[in-house]
Every structure is written in C-alpha cells, then in structure tokens.
Amino acid sequence: MIYFLDLAKINNRFRVEIDARIGAVLDRGWYLQGKENEKFCKHFAEYCGTKHCLGVANGLDALTLIIRAHGFGAGDEIIVPANTYIATILAITENGCIPALVEPDIQTCNINPDRIESAITPRTKAIMVVHLYGQAAPMEEVRRIAEKYRLKVFEDCAQAHGAVYEGKRVGNLSDAAAFSFYPGKNLGAFGDAGAITTNDTELYEKVKALANYGSDYKYHNLYKGVNSRLDELQAAILDVKLKYLDTDNARRREIANYYRTSITNPRIILPEVYDEETHVWHVFTVRTEQRDYFQKYLTEHGIQTLIHYPTPPHKQPAFSEWAERSYPITEEIHRTIISLPISPVMTQHEVEQVADVINSYQ
C-alpha cells in the first residue's frame, strides 16, 4: 500500500533529536510557557519574517483569537472563501461575526479576488484568506481591495507553512496570521498545536493576554480570556522539525512537479500553480468525474487517497440556515476533488507508480 501520509516514517527521521529535546523538558520539569515555547516562537517568527509569534493550543484558537483581539463581534461581517475547511468559518461564528462566503477560482481553489468586492457591505470588517492546499492566495489583489475599503486582512496559513509570495512567506502578508501544527501538516506536532504571527506589537500583546485567561501578568486579568497555550513538549518537537521544513517542502515540490508532468490521463484535471515558491503542496488535489469510482480504483491498486473536502461548509448540518444557498463553483470542487499521496518520505518508485496507475485509469 502506498500510504497517503506515513506520519511514523516522517517523524522517525528526527527521533534522536526529538528524544533529546523531550528529555530536556522532562528534566527541567517546566511544561508550559517555558524555554521551549520561547525558543520555537522566536525561530518561527524569524522563519516567517515577522516581529512576533505566539504559540497557542491549535489553529482554530489562533484564528478565533485574532478576530477577538480586533474587537469584532455581533453583526460584523468577515469575508471568507466558501470552500475552506469549516474551522475558518467556525472562528468567525465563534466571535458572533457573520461569514460572508465568496466563491473560489476553480483552477487554484483559492479565493477569487474578482468576487470579493460584491460581497463587501457597510458591516464588513475584514477579509480572511485561506492559503488552501498549500498555495498562497492572490494577496496583492486582496490587499488592494482591503486598502480601498479600509478592511483588515487575516491569513489562515494552516496548510501553507513555508509558502512564499512575492518574496515574503505566508504569515507575513497581512495584519495577522494563524497556523495549525496538527500532526499531518507540513510542519506537524505530535498532537494539537498552533500559532499566531504578526508585526503588530499591540495586537501581539493583546492576543498573548487573551490566550492566557486574559492575563497580562499573573493574577491580573485585563480581558475575559481563554486558556490556549502551546505546551513545552510540542514546542520542542516543532523546533526540531522547523529546521527541516524547507527541505521537506522541496521534496513535496519535486513530487508535485512529477505528477503535473507525468499524469496525462485526460479524465484527470490537475491543479494550477501561480509559480513554484507559492505552493508547498500540503496536499496534491486533482479533480475528476465519478470521483468515488476513481478512488475505489486507486484503492484496489494499493494507493490510499483522501478527500479534502467531501462536503462544503454551507451544506453542513451545523449551518442548516445556509441550506438553501448555492455556491456552484464550491460545490463542483467538493463533488470532484480528491487528494493523492504526497509526503517528503515517498520514494520515487512510489511516486512513479501513482502516476502510472492513474494514467491507466479508464
């Protein structure tokens, strides 16, 4: 079986270093807001090119805290891609804000900037872009619209660690950005973990307090905060793996390039790419009619696949109030999309086998 993602194989490459760092945490006996957290956040901010990085419990918390720190709430609207993973939208509704869903570009699956302005109303406060599947969204156009209407821009970078847009990494292209380090991400922890990056010092201090019970110093609470902190063990693991992120992303690009040049089956629609640096290929998605039949065919030939995502947010029971809405481009993507195996530990033989099996599909 060619696995979609072999996490054990990915992480065992770093086992000696990780064991040493975990041992140091255990010996130190300090498990929250300590040296490992400080070290990783410093290194990740430097990697992204931002002034600040705050470690939090997960990516959803990161998004939620960014919105909350800006003071947005009931009745405020935030523009968001209609085809994103539901977490992006939950961060908006968790703050009492209204998600304004915008259709994507069907070629890249990222938000279509040509459709943003028609979604702006007097209540619009921000645009939340999602660098979906690992490709940076069209930030130049998004920022131009945001400046015109005096809107904030936030990035959901959960799938795009290390992607570069016009010389800057994602996480450094907006007012504030959120990262998830869920185990399957390009930079993955051994459990849930997340981070916020920003160049705004005042915002950083506020989200830092909000994430720690609203406290700016011990037993003094400025805000009605929450408990969302990156623990020392996860910070240590992430700091080890960060050193190898660019190398791993380069391997992902090699695999993606092979797929894009070697998969020639006319029944398979390959993804579009702005340029090499903008995409880190968290997943390699293709589109095809009779997707379920295609997935069954690959399974029978020893190739594991996943679907990102089978049901769009506006068709989920959680948002039953949107059930009558129609977003045809989003629905077309969710109906036809499927993700092929891609990871830095795939062998070239496995990559070639995936392409060969797909080219034989009828």
Side-chain angles (χ1 to χ4, degrees):
M1 172 67 74
I2 298 175
Y3 294 105
F4 178 78
L5 193 67
D6 189 337
L7 287 178
K9 191 173 181 181
I10 288 171
N11 290 320
N12 278 334
R13 298 175 299 161
F14 318 122
R15 182 154 189 167
V16 172
E17 289 182 79
I18 287 172
D19 282 351
R21 292 288 287 273
I22 289 175
V25 173
L26 296 177
D27 290 343
R28 198 178 296 127
W30 191 285
Y31 307 121
L32 286 170
Q33 295 182 309
K35 292 182 179 179
E36 298 296 341
N37 198 322
E38 181 181 343
K39 189 183 301 181
F40 170 70
C41 288
K42 176 179 182 293
H43 291 162
F44 195 65
E46 290 171 351
Y47 179 81
C48 294
T50 59
K51 291 181 181 178
H52 306 289
C53 170
L54 175 71
V56 295
N58 54 69
L60 174 56
D61 281 3
L63 290 166
T64 304
L65 286 163
I66 287 170
I67 297 169
R68 186 168 180 180
H70 279 84
F72 300 150
D76 293 333
E77 296 177 357
I78 297 178
I79 289 171
V80 64
N83 64 314
T84 186
Y85 181 57
I86 200 169
T88 321
I89 292 171
L90 290 174
I92 296 171
T93 58
E94 178 66 18
N95 282 285
C97 299
I98 301 168
L101 307 185
V102 171
E103 288 266 59
D105 177 340
I106 198 166
Q107 303 300 327
T108 65
C109 295
N110 273 331
I111 195 167
N112 186 339
D114 294 338
R115 294 175 176 267
I116 291 176
E117 284 195 78
S118 63
I120 295 173
T121 75
R123 296 180 296 179
T124 305
K125 300 297 184 182
I127 303 170
M128 177 83 80
V129 300
V130 181
H131 305 303
L132 197 64
Y133 303 142
Q135 179 163 214
M139 296 302 296
E140 183 179 358
E141 296 95 325
V142 170
R143 287 195 300 254
R144 185 165 58 245
I145 295 167
E147 289 171 7
K148 179 179 177 181
Y149 293 92
R150 298 182 179 180
L151 305 175
K152 294 293 184 180
V153 178
F154 307 140
E155 297 169 79
D156 181 340
C157 304
Q159 300 183 2
H161 315 76
V164 175
Y165 181 91
E166 294 184 346
K168 289 186 176 182
R169 294 194 193 273
V170 301
N172 190 24
L173 303 171
S174 63
D175 294 284
F179 288 85
S180 166
F181 303 120
Y182 181 79
K185 305 298 187 183
N186 291 34
L187 179 60
F190 285 10
D192 276 321
I196 296 167
T197 57
T198 185
N199 290 306
D200 184 334
T201 301
E202 184 178 350
L203 177 68
Y204 168 74
E205 295 296 340
K206 188 169 184 179
V207 293
K208 184 178 180 181
L210 282 169
N212 186 33
Y213 301 101
S215 175
D216 55 343
Y217 60 89
K218 195 166 186 178
Y219 301 133
H220 184 264
N221 303 83
L222 280 174
Y223 314 106
K224 297 173 183 176
V226 298
N227 175 16
S228 182
R229 298 175 294 197
L230 176 64
D231 71 67
E232 288 288 277
L233 290 172
Q234 301 299 347
I237 291 163
L238 289 166
D239 197 50
V240 169
K241 295 181 68 177
L242 178 60
K243 295 182 294 183
Y244 303 98
L245 178 57
D246 285 345
T247 301
D248 281 359
N249 283 344
R251 176 56 182 154
R252 288 176 177 270
R253 289 191 181 105
E254 289 176 357
I255 296 168
N257 287 338
Y258 186 88
Y259 283 162
R260 293 178 65 232
T261 56
S262 301
I263 295 174
T264 56
N265 190 323
R267 300 182 67 182
I268 307 302
I269 301 172
L270 296 169
E272 294 284 336
V273 183
Y274 302 129
D275 66 55
E276 290 297 310
E277 285 196 317
T278 63
H279 212 318
V280 292
W281 301 102
H282 171 58
V283 292
F284 188 97
T285 58
V286 300
R287 291 188 296 114
T288 186
E289 296 293 331
Q290 298 182 311
R291 189 223 0 242
D292 293 346
Y293 177 77
F294 177 62
Q295 186 174 43
K296 181 174 181 289
Y297 168 84
L298 293 179
T299 301
E300 290 171 349
H301 286 78
I303 298 170
Q304 185 184 41
T305 57
L306 294 179
I307 298 173
H308 296 87
Y309 302 98
T311 307
H314 70 281
K315 295 297 184 183
Q316 294 284 358
F319 292 105
S320 57
E321 66 271 25
W322 296 344
E324 300 305 315
R325 293 190 187 184
S326 177
Y327 298 96
I329 297 173
T330 292
E331 290 159 20
E332 173 71 6
I333 290 170
H334 286 256
R335 182 181 68 83
T336 59
I337 206 156
I338 184 168
S339 302
L340 306 181
I342 188 167
S343 86
V345 297
M346 282 184 73
T347 67
Q348 191 58 29
H349 175 71
E350 289 174 327
V351 176
E352 292 170 4
Q353 187 176 342
V354 171
D356 289 344
V357 169
I358 291 174
N359 286 335
S360 300
Y361 170 67
Q362 296 179 347

